[in-house]
Amino acid sequence: DVRTRLAVLSEQPGAWSDAVVRWSAMTQSHRKGEWPDRNTEYFFYQTLVGAWPVCADRLIAYMEKATREAKVHTSWTTPHADYDAAVRAFVDSCLADPVFMEDVRAFVESIVGPGRINSLAQTLLKLTSPGVPDLYQGTELWALHLVDPDNRRSVDYAERRHALSVVSSLDPPAILQRGDEGLPKIWVTHAALQLRQRRRDSFG
């Protein structure tokens, strides 16, 4: 769902470009000289928007993985302690900046809905295309996970069982009204799997 949200940015490149330029100016004081480099800074904004809301611990761990695997200024085999520290400090300082965070929140609010529509469309396509659907445990609700180590967190199955029991008693408009709970996604997943079961020959 991080990717389906970020896909919305390609539909409004002007607004996204303006936001990045604005945020770079707002966070200039959080940089350590030339660090992080501009590519990493841009990647930070993109990740923050895609995974919002996201805590500092998750984001710092992910940025460390991304920068070390990029192998431009640091790596797992030859880490650059000063650069790594500058990236951590930048992320921490940005997330503690209320003015910057409010601006990010307002921007994200404008793309959450379209991102969810992308997610529902992708979910339906995966579940109704020929063959066996490739699903990750826990993605029955909105899953704003990043790659490992972030996606290794435990799945709350009780929450998903509860959501499934709730959607069984609601009509689609009521389900959409409770979109923040992830009910539309688990409803589409459940309905599509039921269709596959009823029409096995169609999906063979």
Side-chain angles (χ1 to χ4, degrees):
D1 292 329
V2 173
R3 292 190 184 100
T4 59
R5 179 185 290 176
L6 290 178
V8 180
L9 301 180
S10 65
E11 300 174 22
Q12 46 184 57
W16 172 238
S17 177
D18 290 345
V20 169
V21 170
R22 184 171 66 250
W23 295 340
S24 188
M26 295 171 73
T27 61
Q28 181 64 33
S29 62
H30 303 316
R31 297 169 57 82
K32 302 292 184 183
E34 295 300 311
W35 292 340
D37 58 280
R38 293 303 184 182
N39 283 341
T40 299
E41 181 186 355
Y42 180 88
F43 184 71
F44 165 70
Y45 300 141
Q46 179 178 284
T47 305
L48 181 59
V49 165
W52 180 279
V54 58
C55 66
D57 288 345
R58 289 177 59 203
L59 202 48
I60 287 172
Y62 180 68
M63 291 299 295
E64 179 180 66
K65 172 186 171 63
T67 53
R68 289 190 175 185
E69 293 187 357
K71 299 179 182 178
V72 176
H73 299 283
T74 185
S75 70
W76 291 115
T77 54
T78 49
H80 189 314
D82 291 342
Y83 181 81
D84 292 342
V87 172
R88 286 195 298 270
F90 180 73
V91 173
D92 252 338
S93 298
C94 287
L95 296 188
D97 184 331
V99 177
F100 167 69
M101 292 295 277
E102 174 57 26
D103 200 306
V104 174
R105 183 205 61 77
F107 180 86
V108 172
E109 196 172 74
S110 70
I111 65 171
V112 166
R116 287 176 177 174
I117 291 171
N118 285 346
S119 174
L120 295 178
Q122 178 178 274
T123 299
L124 186 60
L125 282 170
K126 283 197 297 185
L127 291 168
T128 56
S129 295
V132 179
D134 184 13
L135 303 175
Y136 287 93
Q137 293 180 2
T139 60
E140 301 84 7
L141 301 176
W142 308 129
L144 297 173
H145 302 151
L146 303 167
V147 297
D148 60 300
D150 194 59
N151 61 4
R152 295 178 182 174
R153 290 176 294 151
S154 59
V155 176
D156 188 340
Y157 291 106
E159 179 186 21
R160 283 148 184 79
R161 282 192 292 269
H162 174 71
L164 186 57
S165 68
V166 168
V167 296
S168 64
S169 62
L170 297 176
D171 59 13
I175 291 170
L176 286 172
Q177 286 180 352
R178 296 175 63 173
D180 288 348
E181 300 172 49
L183 297 190
K185 191 175 182 186
I186 200 167
W187 180 78
V188 166
T189 300
H190 181 59
L193 290 175
Q194 284 188 317
L195 176 63
R196 289 182 69 100
Q197 187 175 49
R198 291 196 306 271
R199 301 284 301 272
R200 295 188 181 196
D201 290 344
S202 300
F203 297 95

